[in-house]
């Protein structure tokens, strides 16, 4: 039985989800991973992997979990309805949206920031054009 609080870390990666539980001393006490059934673009895979991994955490650790850290692939974005349910497949971080080049230049014309058509902004603009 654990007497100290535990932290859980969850990483949504390119090919699957990884989970780790550490104790107060930052010692890894449990880890697990699960590959996506289909691919990164399928948000249902994210959900199924997460549910499976959390379900498999030993019960003696679950009751002491107090902290959660979550991260995902940088720049993968997903259009959702107002209730949070996905509208379509996710646009992965490696997708370039060259058709958004002029819009990006217009948006950033007075900024010193330079973003290309492989940026999250380009993917967000594609989703906006598609779904409003």
């Amino acid at each position: 039985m654990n007497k100290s609080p535990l932290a859980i870390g969850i990483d949504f990666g390119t090919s699957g989800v990884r989970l780790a539980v550490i104790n107060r001393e930052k010692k890894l006490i449990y880890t697990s991973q699960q590959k996506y059934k289909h691919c990164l673009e399928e948000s249902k895979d994210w959900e199924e992997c997460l549910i499976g991994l959390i379900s498999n955490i030993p019960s003696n650790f679950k009751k002491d979990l107090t902290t959660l850290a979550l991260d995902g692939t940088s720049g993968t974005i997903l259009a959702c309805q107002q209730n949070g349910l996905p509208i379509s497949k996710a646009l992965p971080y490696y997708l370039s949206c060259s058709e958004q080049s002029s819009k990006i230049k217009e948006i950033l014309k007075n900024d010193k920031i330079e973003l290309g058509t492989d940026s999250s902004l380009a993917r967000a603009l594609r989703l906006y054009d598609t779904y409003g």
Side-chain angles (χ1 to χ4, degrees), residues 2-130:
N2 295 307
K3 300 244 191 249
S4 67
L6 301 175
I8 183 173
I10 299 170
D11 173 50
F12 289 88
T14 302
S15 61
V17 182
R18 290 164 292 283
L19 178 145
V21 177
I22 61 171
N23 63 17
R24 185 184 298 239
E25 291 75 35
K26 300 178 186 169
K27 179 182 174 190
L28 180 65
I29 60 171
Y30 177 80
T31 186
S32 186
Q33 61 185 3
Q34 188 171 339
K35 290 190 177 291
Y36 298 130
K37 185 176 181 179
H38 298 103
C39 62
L40 173 63
E41 293 89 346
E42 295 289 343
S43 62
K44 188 71 174 166
D45 282 1
W46 309 349
E47 182 181 349
E48 289 173 2
C49 286
L50 181 61
I51 290 169
L53 289 170
I54 289 175
S55 296
N56 290 326
I57 296 172
S59 59
N60 60 319
F61 294 151
K62 281 183 184 178
K63 61 183 180 54
D64 292 322
L65 291 170
T66 61
T67 306
L68 169 70
L70 179 68
D71 82 335
T73 59
S74 61
T76 296
I77 61 174
L78 177 67
C80 294
Q81 300 172 39
Q82 287 185 337
N83 62 5
L85 294 175
I87 294 172
S88 70
K89 291 184 176 185
L91 299 182
Y93 66 92
Y94 51 79
L95 180 70
S96 182
C97 300
S98 58
E99 77 280 4
Q100 302 301 331
S101 181
S102 60
K103 285 184 186 175
I104 292 170
K105 288 177 186 171
E106 178 63 26
I107 290 169
L108 300 176
K109 65 183 174 190
N110 296 322
D111 290 335
K112 295 179 182 175
I113 298 170
E114 289 188 32
L115 293 176
T117 58
D118 60 346
S119 66
S120 294
L121 176 58
R123 288 184 292 285
L125 289 169
R126 179 182 279 181
L127 290 177
Y128 184 78
D129 285 350
T130 304

